[in-house]
Amino acid sequence: MFALQQDEAPRRAPAIWRTMLNIDRGLVNLVGRLTVTGSVPRELRGKPLLMAANHIGVFDAFVLMAACKRIGINPRFMLAGGILDAPVIGPALKVSGHLRVDRAKAATAIGQFAEAAEALRTTREPIVVYPEGRISHDPGLWPERGKTGAARLALAAGVPVIPISQWGAHEAVYWGTETVNGPADLLPLAKSGLSAPLRRPRFKVHFGTPVDLSDVEPERPGAGVRAHAKIMQAITDGMLPLRRHEPIRPRFHDPTRPTDTVSPWKPQR
């Protein structure tokens, strides 16, 4: 991992990460059509920043990377340890400076939280997180309840939060299965992914205005919960215009995605 002190001049992202972002942009353009609205305010660029996005599919991280590249930023992600430990891609992501998240051990999680807060305070590249922690299981694909970790991290580091709302990436590749036990588990992903360039789904990403957390006192009990609610509501509000023709359920049906939870954030109709 790399971190920049506040009095240092901004430096470019590692060459391997810039290369991966350029390859990703070509992949996203091949698979579908990307529309980006909003941006990161000029006054927040080159400063510590947390960006929180909704999670709608296995392809949406690629779409987020391309959207960030389009508005001229090179994001870092908070990634599960399993991804960073994977052969080939894992070492490349580690060199690129992404942050590790392991939830298995409480002691490890506490230490990583402190490291992540320090990294967030001292870096000048925005860090992207998924507050939900997994792809939404809500039937309408509205954001799940999520976890307060991202909100608590923003409060601990004292940094602004930009909500990112996205729609359409769920049409590129099926959800698949929770665990992969053999080639048969990958078949739905392969079929849907290979047909995506023919279907040309439209990917929509919106960078919202910074979430106002000025009335949340970090030291008061429940601060993380209140900040989390504000962030999730901002993400949901940003989704409304992106999916105005699909307000109840997605038109695209993914038979593999579980639909066993109900979003507390979705608009009441």
Side-chain angles (χ1 to χ4, degrees):
M1 298 179 186
F2 61 90
L4 297 176
Q5 300 301 320
Q6 294 303 312
D7 56 353
E8 292 180 351
R11 72 179 185 183
R12 302 179 73 189
I16 189 169
W17 182 231
R18 297 199 308 272
T19 300
M20 292 172 71
L21 287 171
N22 285 328
I23 293 173
D24 171 78
R25 180 170 55 181
L27 173 64
V28 171
N29 288 337
L30 172 67
V31 171
R33 299 161 291 168
L34 175 62
T35 300
V36 179
T37 54
S39 190
V40 173
R42 183 181 300 275
E43 62 271 19
L44 295 183
R45 297 197 176 214
K47 298 179 181 179
L49 176 66
L50 189 69
M51 301 199 300
N54 60 309
H55 204 356
I56 58 174
V58 297
F59 195 70
D60 68 19
F62 298 99
V63 173
L64 286 180
M65 289 161 57
C68 287
K69 186 70 175 178
R70 181 170 294 185
I71 66 171
I73 59 177
N74 296 314
R76 298 163 64 189
F77 283 78
M78 296 195 74
L79 299 174
I83 297 176
L84 294 175
D85 291 336
V88 183
I89 189 66
L93 292 173
K94 288 179 182 178
V95 171
S96 299
H98 300 284
L99 303 183
R100 184 186 189 97
V101 179
D102 285 314
R103 300 188 180 94
K105 298 180 180 178
T108 300
I110 293 173
Q112 287 180 346
F113 183 88
E115 292 176 5
E118 179 61 21
L120 184 54
R121 276 191 291 264
T122 58
T123 188
R124 293 189 179 183
E125 290 82 16
I127 294 178
V128 179
V129 297
Y130 287 115
E132 294 169 84
R134 69 176 186 179
I135 296 169
S136 175
H137 287 198
D138 176 75
L141 210 51
W142 291 99
E144 288 196 323
R145 182 172 299 280
K147 303 180 184 300
T148 62
R152 291 187 292 107
L153 184 61
L155 293 175
V159 302
V161 179
I162 293 285
I164 304 178
S165 307
Q166 61 172 322
W167 189 246
H170 59 288
E171 298 185 21
V173 182
Y174 280 170
W175 181 88
T177 181
E178 195 74 47
T179 58
V180 177
N181 298 311
D185 292 331
L186 296 175
L187 195 57
L189 283 76
K191 285 185 175 180
S192 56
L194 290 174
S195 68
L198 301 177
R199 294 183 280 109
R200 301 289 291 164
R202 182 174 294 280
F203 308 134
K204 303 175 185 179
V205 179
H206 177 68
F207 294 88
T209 58
V211 181
D212 183 8
L213 300 178
S214 60
D215 62 342
V216 179
E217 300 178 31
E219 303 303 324
R220 296 195 64 178
V225 174
R226 290 190 292 274
H228 174 70
K230 284 176 170 283
I231 293 169
M232 297 306 297
Q233 191 60 60
I235 293 172
T236 304
D237 291 344
M239 288 181 67
L240 291 173
L242 302 185
R243 54 175 299 178
R244 61 182 178 273
H245 300 303
E246 304 172 76
I248 307 300
R249 291 176 181 257
R251 283 195 302 260
F252 181 81
H253 176 60
D254 178 352
T256 69
R257 183 176 66 86
T259 54
D260 54 3
T261 63
V262 177
S263 169
W265 316 112
K266 66 180 178 181
Q268 300 300 314
R269 298 182 183 277

